[in-house]
Amino acid sequence: MKKLTPTKRAWLVAASLFIAILLTLIISLNLGVMQISPVDVWKTLTGNGTSQSSLILFDFRLPRMVIALLIGAGMAVSGAILQSVTQNELADPGIIGINAGAGFAVVLSIYLFQSGTITASTASVFLLPAAALIGSVVAATLIYAISWKNGVSPIRLILVGIGINAAFSALIIVFQLKMDPNDFTRATVWLSGNISGTDWTYVYALLPWILILLPYTFFKANTLNTMNLGDDIARGLGTKVERERMLLLLAAVALAGSSVAVGGGIAFLGLVTPHLVKKLVGTRHQAILPITALMGGFLLLVADTVGRNILSPSEIPVGLVVSVIGGIYFIYLLIKS
């Protein structure tokens, strides 16, 4: 049998993931506390369903699925960028403190408003990504500044990031302990990674970040290929390493920060997804980045479907499902290596 070229293999994987996402969407639309048959789903999508089915599908299930796809793509691509920029396959928005910085900013916002209206009003839905982005940028700026010593060493970047992550995580706990019980519960659920209760407003808040930043990172694929070879080789090939590292870190921060703002602290997705994709398509970022976006969206969509239905009518936060799946897969990788 003729072996597939890397390009054909990448296209095959991308097509398979696209089909898998469509099938998961169809299955997820049918499942829930109130199950809707495939026929009724089709009727509703074509405008011939009942008002109850329309309410369930268009106001609850569809926006939640779109959010899962957007967050999955954003978090996974952010992880892929960080792993290349730091030349460390253990880099991830959660591990180096970006998620913790975004989480601290959002928890601080909830604490300052106390009543919890920050999570309820339409205006606040658009402000939360901005607050999380500010927290992410602050964390990234601290990491970059402390790591700087005649340039930024990838190893120093990771080590400082771990320290910043610990500091922000401690601050999150401090402010949680000062909250009233209702806000404490809200913050805890959010930090565990949760997309229940999202609607189209959340989609509109997150969509611009994804639509702008993903094409930018795809455009920078060749730069990431070069930087993956090491700083000295990248400089020898004409890459302005520090400038490109800063711009790519900013893109990764913005993707992770905006995703965390809507979906909370979803761990492992940015760590595991790039590993899985590299095993499938190799190390060229022209293939890695778009397929990582598809894979991240698919994994989070599956995790959300499982979390919504495995203990129905109760729900498991999607972040916990991703942690279980990601943890098992990561242990498998360690055993195999």
Side-chain angles (χ1 to χ4, degrees):
M1 185 177 178
K2 188 177 179 180
K3 189 176 180 180
L4 292 174
T5 64
T7 301
K8 288 183 178 179
R9 184 178 179 85
W11 277 107
L12 179 61
V13 172
S16 300
L17 281 171
F18 186 75
I19 293 170
I21 287 172
L22 288 178
L23 291 175
T24 307
L25 282 170
I26 293 170
I27 293 170
S28 190
L29 283 172
N30 296 325
L31 298 176
V33 176
M34 295 189 65
Q35 295 192 3
I36 304 174
S37 69
V39 174
D40 289 335
V41 168
W42 175 252
K43 286 181 179 179
T44 304
L45 293 177
T46 54
N48 299 312
T50 64
S51 58
Q52 184 184 50
S53 296
S54 297
L55 178 67
I56 293 171
L57 293 185
F58 290 114
D59 291 354
F60 295 103
R61 292 185 187 172
L62 270 176
R64 182 167 175 168
M65 293 173 197
V66 173
I67 280 291
L69 291 173
L70 294 177
I71 292 175
M75 292 296 293
V77 171
S78 177
I81 294 170
L82 290 173
Q83 288 177 17
S84 294
V85 167
T86 63
Q87 299 157 32
N88 189 318
E89 292 191 346
L90 293 179
D92 163 76
I95 290 175
I96 70 169
I98 293 173
N99 282 9
F104 173 69
V106 173
V107 169
L108 181 62
S109 299
I110 294 173
Y111 171 75
L112 292 176
F113 280 81
Q114 288 298 319
S115 64
T117 54
I118 190 169
T119 62
S121 69
T122 300
S124 69
V125 171
F126 288 92
L127 291 174
L128 272 180
L133 180 60
I134 291 170
S136 301
V137 170
V138 169
T141 302
L142 287 172
I143 294 166
Y144 203 84
I146 298 172
S147 301
W148 184 273
K149 189 176 182 181
N150 299 322
V152 174
S153 163
I155 295 176
R156 284 175 61 87
L157 199 69
I158 289 290
L159 293 176
V160 171
I162 292 172
I164 294 295
N165 180 57
F168 274 118
S169 296
L171 287 172
I172 287 172
I173 294 173
V174 169
F175 278 93
Q176 276 187 285
L177 293 175
K178 290 177 175 291
M179 291 177 173
D180 64 54
N182 289 334
D183 286 334
F184 178 87
T185 301
R186 184 181 299 110
T188 302
V189 171
W190 183 87
L191 288 168
S192 68
N194 183 48
I195 59 175
S196 64
T198 52
D199 55 29
W200 291 111
T201 310
Y202 288 84
V203 175
Y204 303 144
L206 179 59
L207 190 60
W209 300 96
I210 303 299
L211 289 181
I212 293 170
L213 292 170
L214 284 191
Y216 173 76
T217 60
F218 298 165
F219 175 73
K220 289 291 186 179
N222 198 51
T223 301
L224 286 166
N225 289 336
T226 305
M227 294 183 70
N228 218 24
L229 300 173
D231 288 1
D232 293 337
I233 295 176
R235 289 191 184 95
L237 293 173
T239 302
K240 297 178 180 178
V241 173
E242 296 303 334
R243 176 178 175 274
E244 294 296 338
R245 178 177 284 131
M246 184 175 64
L247 290 174
L248 287 165
L249 277 173
L250 185 60
V253 166
L255 283 169
S258 56
S259 298
V260 167
V262 175
I266 299 174
F268 272 111
L269 196 64
L271 176 64
V272 172
T273 308
H275 281 272
L276 184 57
V277 171
K278 287 174 187 176
K279 284 185 173 292
L280 294 173
V281 300
T283 57
R284 292 178 68 253
H285 283 84
Q286 284 84 349
I288 287 174
L289 293 176
I291 294 175
T292 294
L294 288 172
M295 181 69 78
F298 171 65
L299 290 177
L300 196 61
L301 183 61
V302 170
D304 183 51
T305 303
V306 171
R308 281 195 298 117
N309 294 283
I310 193 170
L311 293 178
S312 183
S314 299
E315 287 192 19
I316 301 175
V318 66
L320 299 183
V321 179
V322 171
S323 295
V324 171
I325 296 173
I328 292 172
Y329 180 72
F330 197 62
I331 291 171
Y332 166 76
L333 283 180
L334 291 174
I335 292 173
K336 289 289 287 185
S337 61

